Amino acid sequence: MLDPKLIRNEPEQVAKRLALRGYQLDINTLNNLEEQRKMLQVETENLQAERNKSSKSIGQAKAKGEDIQPLLDAVADLGGKLDDAKGQLDKVQDQMNDLLAGIPNIPDESVPAGKSEDDNVEISRWGNPRKFDFDVRDHVDLGEALNGMDFETGAKITGSRFVVMRDQIARMHRALIQYMLNTHIDEHGYREIYTPYIVNRDSLRGTGQLPKFEEDLFRLDVEQGYYLIPTAEVPVTNTLRDEIYDGELPLKYVCHTPCFRSEAGSYGRDVRGMIRQHQFEKVELVQFVKPEESDDALEALSGHAQNILQSLELPYRKVILCGGDIGFSAAKTYDLEVWLPSQNTYREISSCSNFRDFQARRMKARYRNSEGKPELLHTLNGSGLAVGRTLLSIIENYQQEDGSIEVPEALRPYMGGLEAITGS
RNA sequence: GGUGAGGUGGCCGAGCGGCUGAAGGCGCUCCCCUGCUAAGGGAGUAUACCCUUAUCCGGUAUCGAGGGUUCGAAUCCCUCCCUCACCGCCA
């Protein structure tokens, strides 16, 4: 959520910046509601003040044993007027909140203009895509040939976009999780955290998935209104919801969870293989920082994700998302895209964002600043990395002519010293 | 799932229809005293919003959440959520 005061004071500025991401701010409606709200709030509060005052005098009169009937008569119609004003105020406030909750974050100055992912701007590249002297195969062919990936059984058990993995492929998948966790904990200074995989509506509202993006989520058919998490961002960031945090900052968490996405609206996209599944593993980095430190923190956080790619020797590039492609809650996002030989292109493997105080305001996540006053934190997160996509990119980039997969050096200690996956 | 006890400020804890935004304690901040340390004395110490040139003053709301009763609710009633204890079931 944006700061209502900012919208009130500089609506033109805000509208201009939001236009960069293709969002049109309805200033007229906003002003109208704001004016009504102000009027109704003053009226309501005046009536409440009146009621409080007369109630108090009734109490005092009664204590002295005076006749209170005249006083009671005097306030007889107050209740009705108050209910009226309150009802109207609630209605206006609800409308206002709905509108505010639907406004996306303001893009940072550095975010380039653009409509779609085609307008994202490349910032850097690392590593050189390998030259193959044989026909490259994609991870589906390779994985199935090694009896490590089984999409048919996944479809039988559940449906499309689910996979079963076995043996050394499954082990490499698990090794990646351990490797990423350990690296972020031991070398990048993150604290490990384990959270629920099922969350309530308040949590999803806090990080911005609700109310606008319900269709991307798996909702459980229970009366509590629970959802499967689409990313660890939701439970981890919400650990500080409704808190005034008084520990050390920055607070950096790394968390491995499965992620569940309904992928509604992505029919026909990436239907083959493990690129886009309903269930996938991710190691997520989440940071809570002081406002003045969030810009630097985004550079550091994306660097931590890049370290994983580099140590696995996977070629990648870093892009900054343009206004049209950036997520609802983010002020600035870097995507890391790994090289996929079978597609002859770079594909997203990590997304690192600075949300500034947008999520914190929704969540009321605060800390005490140097003056001891509660102030909104800044939140950031990024994949470090998406495990399924890392696995498939290793399979493709490390494939050998005979269909075996070389195991990256960094992973060998996690796989009992294994140097290649041969499928036998 | 059953039974019982609870959910009050940064923390502990009193209040059980009006003078309670909330006693008392702890913690924290400032001041005083004390030749170190320890101890002692005093003052202050919630959040959000509205009004306002103003972090002055004033107003409103908030005692788990939402409803209700009442002129008036932290206090009474209803529903829900959560915590703890015991029982049952169970990875």
Side-chain angles (χ1 to χ4, degrees), chain A residues 132-307:
Chain A
F132 291 88
D133 50 12
F134 55 89
D135 287 343
V136 297
R137 297 200 262 165
D138 77 359
H139 68 279
V140 180
D141 283 352
L142 291 160
E144 286 180 339
L146 291 165
N147 291 317
M149 281 184 192
D150 182 350
F151 293 95
E152 282 189 24
T153 303
K156 177 178 74 180
I157 299 170
T158 309
S160 68
R161 294 191 195 269
F162 287 91
V163 70
V164 169
M165 287 183 275
R166 294 190 180 89
D167 303 319
Q168 289 166 344
I169 296 285
R171 180 160 182 176
M172 183 184 267
H173 185 251
R174 175 166 57 85
L176 279 167
I177 295 166
Q178 302 306 326
Y179 172 65
M180 290 177 195
L181 281 170
N182 286 350
T183 303
H184 292 307
I185 293 163
D186 296 335
E187 286 170 35
H188 301 147
Y190 286 80
R191 286 174 66 186
E192 184 164 5
I193 186 170
Y194 171 89
T195 68
Y197 301 157
I198 293 172
V199 292
N200 57 34
R201 294 186 63 88
D202 284 343
S203 293
L204 288 158
R205 212 175 288 120
T207 32
Q209 280 79 15
L210 289 179
K212 284 196 80 174
F213 306 100
E214 172 123 30
E215 72 279 7
D216 298 335
L217 302 167
F218 282 111
R219 182 181 180 158
L220 299 185
D221 189 15
V222 294
E223 56 184 313
Q224 292 95 330
Y226 287 163
Y227 296 77
L228 297 177
I229 55 170
T231 158
E233 164 192 354
V234 179
V236 176
T237 311
N238 274 280
T239 55
L240 289 194
R241 170 154 55 82
D242 295 320
E243 301 278 338
I244 299 175
Y245 174 75
D246 61 359
E248 292 276 303
L249 288 173
L251 178 60
K252 296 157 67 180
Y253 281 125
V254 60
C255 185
H256 155 245
T257 68
C259 303
F260 303 93
R261 300 195 182 170
S262 79
E263 296 296 345
S266 68
Y267 307 108
R269 282 191 76 192
D270 303 314
V271 285
R272 181 176 163 86
M274 280 185 66
I275 289 260
R276 195 175 297 276
Q277 298 272 291
H278 288 307
Q279 171 185 319
F280 62 95
E281 306 297 303
K282 187 153 58 66
V283 171
E284 184 78 357
L285 306 173
V286 174
Q287 293 197 19
F288 301 91
V289 306
K290 294 178 184 171
E292 63 271 22
E293 288 168 3
S294 68
D295 286 349
D296 289 344
L298 179 62
E299 301 303 318
L301 188 149
S302 54
H304 298 147
Q306 291 174 73
N307 282 346

Side-chain angles (χ1 to χ4, degrees), chain A residues 52-110:
Chain A
N52 289 346
K53 211 182 283 176
S54 34
S55 293
K56 202 168 253 186
S57 60
I58 291 173
Q60 284 162 352
K62 205 171 171 188
K64 285 186 219 153
E66 293 168 8
D67 179 18
I68 58 171
Q69 195 52 47
L71 291 167
L72 286 179
D73 294 342
V75 294
D77 64 332
L78 231 177
K81 275 201 272 187
L82 222 176
D83 286 347
D84 240 45
K86 223 175 188 166
Q88 285 183 59
L89 179 64
D90 284 349
K91 231 166 88 188
V92 169
Q93 251 160 358
D94 284 349
Q95 284 177 46
M96 193 89 174
N97 287 338
D98 285 352
L99 201 75
L100 287 174
I103 300 174
N105 202 352
I106 295 174
D108 183 70
E109 310 276 0
S110 61

